[in-house]
Amino acid sequence: MLTIHSILFASHIILGSLALLLFWVPIVAGKGGLNHVKFGRYYAHTMYAVALSGALMAVLVLYDPLAIKGHLIGENTDQPAFVNTIRIFWGFLLYLSLLTYVSVKQGFAVLKHKNSTAPLRTISHLGPIILLALGGIIILTLGITHGRVLHIVFGILGIMIGTGMLRYCFAQQLKPKQWLIEHLGGMIGSGIGAYTAFIAFGGRKLFADLGSMQIIFWVAPGVIGSIAIYLLSKKYQPKNLNS
């Protein structure tokens, strides 16, 4: 099990690093241009692989924390508390994998169908979105119970993203350019998940000396991404209502 986890971890790091770079290519490239479309697909496929490897790793740790992370236990470590902490952390990473997957899937689904929401109302598409919203409630509850700001922020974010996607999927009539706003929101949402996971993994050592202040860097992708989604919504929605 440990070997499988190690292979998944190495693959996850390589694919995740590639995805973090690919994320910016469609943004820099002209909207609708060849590079935008081509690299957008590259990014999507890479992110699916990142989400899958991250989810599989998390499931392995949640199933048997001691088999995967037992080497971190010291002589004076409270084992039940250690297991609980590990499960809370990796449960959050499983949630981020779901957030990443759902965001990419929604972003490309609305781009494919544009002004029609009927094709989105399938179990295969709605199921993960519902799981994201429910997962947000669980993460928020854990955050409040254990006093974890990161969980509270992303619990609320997941609930908002999940319910927003459901509203879009069940909308009978879309406003002009609403599909574009939803597409951009999905892509940015996937970036939020990717960058938060990157900081959660690598940033723990990088920002360890900052103590409790490191939480700023953990929540920064979520805050910045949410602001970007809001500004893009304001940019496209009001100005294009009559177009």
Side-chain angles (χ1 to χ4, degrees), residues 125-180:
H125 187 76
L126 295 176
I129 299 177
I130 294 172
L131 282 178
L132 176 64
L134 293 176
I137 296 174
I138 295 173
I139 292 295
L140 175 60
T141 302
L142 286 173
I144 295 173
T145 303
H146 296 277
R148 294 173 178 263
V149 177
L150 186 67
H151 286 61
I152 293 173
V153 171
F154 277 86
I156 295 173
L157 185 62
I159 295 171
M160 292 175 61
I161 290 177
T163 54
M165 288 180 179
L166 289 174
R167 282 197 301 269
Y168 181 93
C169 292
F170 284 100
Q172 296 300 314
Q173 187 174 0
L174 297 174
K175 298 177 182 178
K177 299 294 185 180
Q178 191 172 349
W179 65 268
L180 176 58

Side-chain angles (χ1 to χ4, degrees), residues 51 55 93-103 128-129 131-133 135:
L93 292 179
L94 176 61
Y95 172 73
L96 286 182
S97 295
L98 178 62
L99 171 63
T100 300
Y101 170 76
V102 169
S103 297
I129 299 177
L131 282 178
L132 176 64

Side-chain angles (χ1 to χ4, degrees), residues 14-241:
I14 294 172
L15 291 168
S17 300
L18 177 60
L20 293 179
L21 296 175
L22 287 174
F23 173 77
W24 295 102
V25 178
I27 295 177
V28 175
K31 181 169 66 70
L34 178 61
N35 287 335
H36 180 93
V37 175
K38 181 172 66 175
F39 281 95
R41 289 199 186 100
Y42 292 161
Y43 171 74
H45 294 320
T46 304
M47 285 303 289
Y48 284 141
V50 170
L52 177 61
S53 59
L56 290 175
M57 280 195 302
V59 168
L60 287 176
V61 175
L62 291 172
Y63 175 73
D64 195 345
L66 295 179
I68 308 297
K69 298 295 178 181
H71 64 281
L72 298 175
I73 297 179
E75 293 183 2
N76 300 318
T77 301
D78 183 337
Q79 184 169 309
F82 172 82
V83 169
N84 186 54
T85 299
I86 290 295
R87 280 185 166 147
I88 290 176
F89 178 75
W90 280 87
F92 177 71
L93 292 179
L94 176 61
Y95 172 73
L96 286 182
S97 295
L98 178 62
L99 171 63
T100 300
Y101 170 76
V102 169
S103 297
V104 174
K105 195 170 188 292
Q106 176 79 350
F108 273 84
V110 300
L111 182 63
K112 179 180 179 180
H113 300 292
K114 292 191 177 179
N115 296 316
S116 176
T117 60
L120 305 179
R121 294 194 284 272
T122 63
I123 295 177
S124 61
H125 187 76
L126 295 176
I129 299 177
I130 294 172
L131 282 178
L132 176 64
L134 293 176
I137 296 174
I138 295 173
I139 292 295
L140 175 60
T141 302
L142 286 173
I144 295 173
T145 303
H146 296 277
R148 294 173 178 263
V149 177
L150 186 67
H151 286 61
I152 293 173
V153 171
F154 277 86
I156 295 173
L157 185 62
I159 295 171
M160 292 175 61
I161 290 177
T163 54
M165 288 180 179
L166 289 174
R167 282 197 301 269
Y168 181 93
C169 292
F170 284 100
Q172 296 300 314
Q173 187 174 0
L174 297 174
K175 298 177 182 178
K177 299 294 185 180
Q178 191 172 349
W179 65 268
L180 176 58
I181 297 171
E182 190 73 6
H183 170 69
L184 293 172
M187 293 301 98
I188 294 173
S190 69
I192 291 174
Y195 273 93
T196 302
F198 170 76
I199 294 174
F201 268 116
R204 283 184 298 165
K205 293 183 178 181
L206 184 62
F207 303 119
D209 294 337
L210 297 177
S212 60
M213 291 296 291
Q214 65 182 293
I215 194 67
I216 296 175
F217 295 93
W218 285 46
V219 302
V223 173
I224 294 172
S226 298
I227 293 173
I229 293 173
Y230 172 77
L231 292 177
L232 286 171
S233 298
K234 296 288 287 184
K235 175 182 178 181
Y236 287 106
Q237 205 166 29
K239 293 182 179 181
N240 292 282
L241 280 176

